[in-house]
Amino acid sequence: MGTERVTLELSGLRCAGCAGNVEQALSNLEGVQNAAVNLADDSVAVTYDADALTVEDIAATVESAGYGVRRERALRSRALLRIAGMRCAACVRAVEQGLERLDGVQSAGVNLADETAEVTFDPAKVGIAEIIARIGELGYEAEAITEEALQRPGEERDAEAALQARLVIFGAVLTLPLFVIGMWAPDFPFRPWVLLALATPVQLVLGWQYYVGSVKALRAGSATMDVLIALGSTAAYLLSVYNLARGAGHLYFDGAAMILTLITLGRFLEARARGRASDAIRALMELAPDEATVIRDGEEVTIPASHVDVGEVVLVRPGERIPVDGEVIRGHSTVDESMITGESIPVEKAEGDEVIGGTVNLAGNFQFRATAVGSRTALQQIIRLVREAQGTKPPIQRIADTVAAYFVPAVIIIAAATLAGWMIAGADFEQGMLAAVSVLVIACPCALGLATPTAVMVGTGVGAEHGVLIRQAAALETIGALDAVVFDKTGTLTRGEPEVTDLAPVGDIEADELLRLAASAEVPSEHPLGRAIVDHAREAGLELAEVEGFEAIIGRGVAATVDGRAVVIGSGRLMAERGMEPERGAGAAEALEALGRTALLVAVDGRVAGVIGLADVAKPTAREAVERLKQMGLEIYLLTGDNRRTAEAVAAELGIENVLAEVLPDEKATQISRLQSEGLRVAMVGDGINDAPALAQSDVGIAIGTGTDVAMEAGEITLVSGDPVGVVRAVVLSRRTLAHIKQNLFFSFLYNCAAIPLAVAGLLNPMIAAAAMAASSVSVVGNSLRLRRYAPRLLERIGR
């Protein structure tokens, strides 16, 4: 049955801790590949092995963890299928409509470019086997995409291109002499029979795939591009046979053979180009190394990377790719994570840091403990998310879908009307038939069907390579029409943890000595501000002293003895309570607080000796991100629960004029709704958990991921790195991708609107029509690939 994805409606979820409990319980269930809770709509999306589990098993596990499953609501299961035999937009429409008429299927989305379908269904009413059988009845072959099958798309497309190449060569060998004899060679005995002998193998061998496709489509009650090609080439061939038999009239054997050869050549070029559209997925899949070195019983053992177990110790040497996700337990190094996060600057790794499978160890040996393997690694999650996104459609695709539903039948009617019109106008049957054949051959539903999915494939693939995961193709269209971007502050524009920003000694004490004494006193403390002071001192290379008599004064500060000196750290109120002259540091403290800093007074031996300023500092690229977005014409808002003075200080530093401060977590969605009520189309940028309701309320939710945390269910776009410049990349890439979709659709409609009337008027020879039809679909794919060529360079320049 393969890999499936189900969404369960839950009850009892209260906070991020609840989400973590559910995810942990499901991750421990054998067969579950990924589980992600969305607090915004109380649901959990589970990717699992349908051969090992049922939906009921998953629901029971959730309930055993203490949460409810709303069984009165239909469960939504999603399956990804690979479909062979689709040729054009009419094929897409036939499969989608055929599946949606099946009881239990809630929706079906087909991606012609990737030859896949994502089906959402109620597993209580219909199963994968029935869905696959239904696709077979429609005239196509389908299989569930398993972990093994995920590795084969390139091989299958290469095989298809190779088959079409062989057919083109076969057709060319016979068609070229046929064309020369038919057009330019002088008459000679048995000339008509030579033409028949050359044309018949072409008609049977090259035409076979179109005949088979036509029969399957017509049997399923639909009409596809294969029907048009089969009708057009067969009409020219049979007219020639008829004229040969009666010994009068022109022979069009060369035209019939040329139609099939040129269209098959176009199909070969299209298969090659479509393969390049999925190069990004291939590149991501190739990041995972085949082997890993693990430590077992104290010995180094080389095993397949797929055999690494969670908890095993893995050794990585310089130049090697990290095989799975994990946490460093010994050694240190520098790792290139650009292929996952899009950030070009190598990242230092030491004990306790996480590492991501598929990234490259640049220098130094280190060992890490595996925390995620197989389909649960960040790399495999990214590949899954990109595949799912490529199977979705932006709203603009509805135009092509609507046209596709009527395209082929309309073309057949136009061709019949063309033949009748020419004969009514007094032309002979042959002249009218040639015009009708040109109509059949020139029409191109392929271009319509490929216009959107090829651009989406390229755009989402390029995004994944630069740390931008576009989860829904609809976001490509929405983000291009944005008016405002709302940033959460903590962890999005700022680092999310306090850092020492200022040291203000009072009296004769040196800054380093002030910091050393304060940090030594804070070593036993668990408070975030205390940890920040200790970390800052250690980063400065200061040697900290042993402390005696440590006292944590809840809500006020700490006190301790350092090197025999009494050290007290805390607020001015604490200093006043202990008679330590807080006015000595009052001026410095007030100046720091005016800048949005947290000011801690440090007293040594009963007198204030200085002030330490701390703040959740802005990320290095935050201001650049804000400036670039403003240059794009977007209005920027800062949304935070902090007090207004702190919020405005951060906003001023980053160049943000609009500040929404002192907003409680459950009020953030209300603020987004208020902006929308003012007519603004709003994107929300947040961490995906605490900001889940606001992300869901916004027109486009952009969730900030960090390293291995890429399964953000709350937003349509996920940024793998925490760099806010990723928002700029997301907007730029979305706008460029949407532009290519519009270009493709415009060209497709223009081509068909211009070409069909020319064919009706008899201004196109069938052979020229065949060449133009083949070129149209290839040009659409080529325009999408143009995005693949220039977009990476464009994104790499952002933030550099």
Side-chain angles (χ1 to χ4, degrees), residues 475-558:
L476 293 168
E477 189 166 342
T478 307
I479 205 169
L482 285 178
D483 300 305
V485 178
V486 177
F487 282 97
D488 172 57
K489 181 182 79 70
T490 305
T492 302
L493 289 175
T494 64
R495 296 185 183 275
E497 54 188 25
E499 294 183 14
V500 174
T501 57
D502 303 271
L503 293 170
V506 176
D508 297 332
I509 193 170
E510 296 290 334
D512 283 351
E513 180 63 8
L514 175 70
L515 177 60
R516 187 186 72 86
L517 292 172
S520 298
E522 291 281 10
V523 167
S525 174
E526 296 297 328
H527 195 281
L529 295 179
R531 304 311 308 161
I533 294 172
V534 173
D535 290 343
H536 186 72
R538 286 175 173 163
E539 289 172 3
L542 300 180
E543 186 174 343
L544 304 186
E546 295 291 332
V547 299
E548 299 175 357
F550 175 80
E551 177 188 5
I553 307 165
I554 305 301
R556 306 286 183 84
V558 301

Side-chain angles (χ1 to χ4, degrees), residues 292-303 308 311-317 329-330 366-369:
T293 302
V294 299
I295 308 297
R296 292 181 177 174
D297 299 325
E299 299 290 333
E300 296 180 13
V301 182
T302 300
I303 63 172
V308 176
E312 280 204 278
V313 176
V314 183
L315 171 66
V316 184
R317 296 183 175 87
I329 60 173
R330 187 174 296 111
F366 67 89
Q367 295 179 15
F368 71 92
R369 193 176 307 281

Side-chain angles (χ1 to χ4, degrees), residues 289 291-295 300 313-324 328 330 332-335 355 359-368:
E291 295 182 336
T293 302
V294 299
I295 308 297
E300 296 180 13
V313 176
V314 183
L315 171 66
V316 184
R317 296 183 175 87
E320 293 182 345
R321 286 195 181 275
I322 298 170
V324 296
V328 177
R330 187 174 296 111
H332 64 276
S333 184
T334 303
V335 176
V355 290
T359 56
V360 179
N361 179 29
L362 298 178
N365 296 340
F366 67 89
Q367 295 179 15
F368 71 92

Side-chain angles (χ1 to χ4, degrees), residues 43-223:
S43 69
V44 60
V46 186
T47 305
Y48 66 101
D49 182 355
D51 294 321
L53 286 175
T54 66
V55 175
E56 280 302 317
D57 295 330
I58 296 171
T61 300
V62 173
E63 290 171 337
S64 67
Y67 302 91
V69 177
R70 294 175 180 147
R71 296 176 184 271
E72 69 276 9
R73 300 191 185 185
L75 300 179
R76 304 191 306 276
S77 187
R78 286 197 292 174
L80 191 62
L81 307 175
R82 178 163 293 122
I83 301 179
M86 295 188 299
R87 303 299 182 194
C88 64
C91 299
V92 171
R93 187 74 172 181
V95 173
E96 290 179 343
Q97 288 188 337
L99 288 177
E100 288 172 353
R101 293 191 185 108
L102 189 61
D103 185 35
V105 172
Q106 296 160 352
S107 66
V110 173
N111 184 343
L112 177 61
D114 202 29
E115 297 174 319
T116 60
E118 184 175 299
V119 185
T120 304
F121 61 97
D122 180 354
K125 293 182 179 179
V126 67
I128 290 293
E130 296 168 90
I131 293 172
I132 290 176
R134 177 58 178 155
I135 293 173
E137 294 171 2
L138 296 171
Y140 306 93
E141 297 177 4
E143 66 168 342
I145 297 184
T146 61
E147 289 298 316
E148 293 75 18
L150 281 174
Q151 309 299 322
R152 301 202 305 266
E155 298 174 9
E156 293 179 355
R157 195 168 286 112
D158 289 345
E160 168 70 11
L163 171 63
Q164 299 303 326
R166 290 194 296 270
L167 290 174
V168 169
I169 293 171
F170 177 86
V173 168
L174 296 177
T175 300
L176 287 177
L178 178 62
F179 184 73
V180 171
I181 294 171
M183 295 293 293
W184 295 304
D187 194 18
F188 59 87
F190 305 109
R191 177 177 179 272
W193 299 100
V194 171
L195 296 176
L196 175 65
L198 290 171
T200 300
V202 176
Q203 194 68 36
L204 295 177
V205 176
L206 269 68
W208 181 253
Q209 61 182 327
Y210 304 108
Y211 291 134
V212 170
S214 298
V215 171
K216 288 181 177 179
L218 294 173
R219 187 184 298 158
S222 65

